Amino acid sequence: MTKLTSRRGLFFGAAAVSAGAVLTGCTSNDPDDGGDKAAADTRPAADDRPGKQVTIGYAGPQADHGWLNAVNDNAHKRAEKYSDVTLEVTEGSNDTAQQIGQIETLINKKVDVLVVLPADGKALTQVGLKAMRAGIPVVNLDRIFNSPQAYRCWVGGDNYGMGLNAAHYIGEKLKDTPDAKVIELAGLDNLELTQQRTKGFDDGLKNYPNIKKVARQAAEFTVESGQAKMAQLLQAQSSFDALWNHDDDQGVGALRAIEQAGRDDFLMVGGAGALSAFQAIKADSGVLKATVLYPPTMAASAIDLARALGQGKGISGLAEFEIPSTVTCYSAVVDKENVDQYMPTGFK
């Protein structure tokens, strides 16, 4: 287990903005404000100024995927921005029994707040409940526990929104194309997140009656599967106008298959927000024109929320004394117009 102690009291708002909440202070305790202010004005919102020391326990899965590595990195770096935060980090594991043991160690250490990205939300629900019953609030990151009693706040991505926004981007590009055809390279079909992304995409396409989805193939979120499944789609579909690929990692393989086939007669939209996708979008020399985010910066926002919990603060811009119970990150579309803004958030 590694202990990271933050060194600086700086604050960068990008991650919090991605989750729809800016954790900067705007609440006044100035006695000159008068006594007729609302009660909410007497309680400061979370901000970057040093406050009560907070120990946050962080338990994530093993970083065996580019996105998961970026999640862990965002959590660590965010904690380092605060002089009043100590981050207790577990080794990380995809074995549920091992991760449960790691979280129980953090509970026994009596950390102030827990941030948990479970390897399996359902399997780790009981340890989340154990922490909450021990008086340790839990920020549940991304993969949700199956009981709301197991966490104080959930922060994560919007899989349905990814599909919806991908469809809107493609729809606007093809709205003047008669009888436009699109295809979809999905992720693992047995995962709910894949099903949600597809549903969002299908619902979004309903706004564009001139567009028809003519093919769909499920891959496995890997480069190899992306290449193999994309090759099959290209062979089966001699012409189409747009492709949505659920994941930028498998998109690396998909782009290889497209290049090998010598195809450049359609536009491609990716998913998640890998650095390689951002670089390809910026270069604008191939079919990849945009990607829809599933931002790993949600982990930085989870640290912000955990710090606010530990210090008994809310979020500026909201009237409530407490942080929200649910924060869903927006699935922004990144294309050539805004890619420079998002480039620092791209994961490898």
Side-chain angles (χ1 to χ4, degrees), residues 38-109:
D41 282 353
T42 67
R43 188 167 188 174
D47 57 31
D48 59 328
R49 293 170 295 182
K52 174 187 173 183
Q53 289 293 323
V54 177
T55 298
I56 300 173
Y58 177 79
Q62 183 180 347
D64 57 0
H65 181 277
W67 186 85
L68 287 175
N69 185 67
V71 162
N72 290 341
D73 190 52
N74 269 273
H76 296 172
K77 289 182 177 178
R78 193 62 160 192
E80 290 176 357
K81 304 299 180 186
Y82 295 118
S83 63
D84 52 16
V85 170
T86 298
L87 193 66
E88 291 275 359
V89 184
T90 67
E91 295 291 334
S93 176
N94 288 329
D95 180 271
T96 55
Q98 187 174 5
Q99 193 179 26
I100 288 170
Q102 292 170 348
I103 295 169
E104 287 178 337
T105 297
L106 292 172
I107 294 172
N108 292 336
K109 284 191 170 187

Side-chain angles (χ1 to χ4, degrees), residues 46-237:
D47 57 31
D48 59 328
R49 293 170 295 182
K52 174 187 173 183
Q53 289 293 323
V54 177
T55 298
I56 300 173
Y58 177 79
Q62 183 180 347
D64 57 0
H65 181 277
W67 186 85
L68 287 175
N69 185 67
V71 162
N72 290 341
D73 190 52
N74 269 273
H76 296 172
K77 289 182 177 178
R78 193 62 160 192
E80 290 176 357
K81 304 299 180 186
Y82 295 118
S83 63
D84 52 16
V85 170
T86 298
L87 193 66
E88 291 275 359
V89 184
T90 67
E91 295 291 334
S93 176
N94 288 329
D95 180 271
T96 55
Q98 187 174 5
Q99 193 179 26
I100 288 170
Q102 292 170 348
I103 295 169
E104 287 178 337
T105 297
L106 292 172
I107 294 172
N108 292 336
K109 284 191 170 187
K110 298 182 179 179
V111 297
D112 297 305
V113 189
L114 271 171
V115 174
V116 180
L117 199 168
D120 182 321
K122 181 179 180 180
L124 268 75
T125 297
Q126 289 301 314
V127 78
L129 287 166
K130 182 176 181 179
M132 292 288 287
R133 289 165 181 162
I136 301 173
V138 176
V139 177
N140 181 193
L141 181 57
D142 192 43
R143 300 170 186 169
I144 195 166
F145 296 137
N146 68 352
S147 169
Q149 296 184 67
Y151 58 89
R152 166 59 183 81
C153 174
W154 175 84
V155 55
D158 184 359
N159 288 294
Y160 179 88
M162 285 182 72
L164 188 67
N165 290 345
H168 285 168
Y169 181 85
I170 290 171
E172 288 302 303
K173 294 296 183 182
L174 300 180
K175 63 183 179 181
D176 296 323
T177 303
D179 302 318
K181 299 176 182 178
V182 301
I183 65 174
E184 179 183 8
L185 182 62
L188 284 163
D189 256 344
N190 64 333
L191 297 180
E192 184 180 0
L193 67 89
T194 298
Q195 298 162 20
Q196 290 173 343
R197 291 177 188 185
T198 290
K199 179 169 174 49
F201 189 60
D202 290 346
D203 286 352
L205 289 179
K206 292 176 183 176
N207 295 298
Y208 303 93
N210 65 306
I211 300 175
K212 181 180 179 181
K213 188 170 78 171
V214 296
R216 180 185 183 275
Q217 184 68 260
E220 300 173 4
F221 293 126
T222 64
V223 173
E224 295 76 17
S225 68
Q227 184 171 356
K229 298 301 184 179
M230 190 68 228
Q232 293 176 17
L233 282 169
L234 291 169
Q235 187 173 11
Q237 303 296 322

